[in-house]
Amino acid sequence: MRVEIWSDIACPWCYVGKARFEKALAAFPHRDEVEVVHRSFELDPGRAKDDVQPVLAMLTKKYGMSAAQAQAGEENLGAQAAAEGLDYQTRGRDHGNTFDMHRLLHFAKEQGRQDELIQLLYRANFAEERSLFTEGAERLVELAVAAGLDAEAVRGVLADPARYADDVRADEREAAELGANGVPFFVLDRKYGVSGAQPAEVFTQALSQAWGARSPLQLLDEGGAEACGPDGCAVPQH
């Protein structure tokens, strides 16, 4: 069974939602038969690469809330994260363009290190004092190497803005086609969707329902026509 997760590194609920989903997946009896794929979704796709601003300033401008309301929201997110065993910096974080991170995640997927990289990116953005957006490409290289990727290969991806750009855009178009207007957005076997950082119990129910809905292959003809098998091919007898 495949679970696809549309998310953005700048999305705090994606950070929390991933932890809740993984809690449900860890207890799922068929967890070893579940493939998890992370898909790209930018919350702020029009933001220039060098346009970085404090999170509180972004929240007050984008949502028209007061600085006190924005800070209260960050404190609430910190409590939600802590309940899942996650660290969360409620003050001093900044916000910027995540397109290069998504490109790197597609590269990491090819190398079998996608989940490791996205977790490190989330932690860097939400739990560490260093900025993920102002230190340039070498910060992303550092995190990618920690995820098990080759430094020079990562630099090559970051140096070419066209690499994996189409993959990111394809994910975003597909999200729109599936009706996802926010993240995190979970799609289970292309049959069921779960929107938002739901409690682990909701993910448990979704996993069980999606697994139960998997249909065994139905053969249209069970007649004994000749076929090759693990022991080879039977030689026709004349």
Side-chain angles (χ1 to χ4, degrees), residues 110-127:
E110 288 185 351
Q111 308 301 312
R113 311 300 294 178
Q114 190 186 46
D115 193 70
E116 290 83 356
L117 180 57
I118 198 170
Q119 190 60 35
L120 286 170
L121 290 170
Y122 276 141
R123 179 168 181 79
N125 189 38
F126 294 109

Side-chain angles (χ1 to χ4, degrees), residues 183-195:
V183 283
F185 188 71
F186 301 77
V187 176
L188 293 81
D189 253 6
R190 290 298 171 111
K191 292 181 179 178
Y192 300 95
V194 178
S195 181

Side-chain angles (χ1 to χ4, degrees), residues 19-91:
R20 292 175 176 172
F21 169 76
E22 287 175 346
K23 183 182 293 184
L25 182 61
F28 186 56
H30 308 286
R31 60 185 177 277
D32 293 337
E33 298 174 74
V34 177
E35 176 192 12
V36 178
V37 178
H38 297 283
R39 301 292 192 190
S40 299
F41 189 106
E42 294 173 277
L43 291 175
D44 204 352
R47 180 177 289 271
K49 188 174 180 178
D50 59 353
D51 182 5
V52 180
Q53 67 179 143
V55 165
L56 293 186
M58 180 274 293
L59 291 173
T60 56
K61 181 178 180 180
K62 187 171 184 177
Y63 299 107
M65 59 178 65
S66 68
Q69 289 172 322
Q71 185 58 53
E74 283 293 283
E75 298 293 342
N76 174 59
L77 278 162
Q80 298 273 357
E84 305 303 329
L86 301 172
D87 293 328
Y88 190 97
Q89 294 280 338
T90 59
R91 298 177 184 273

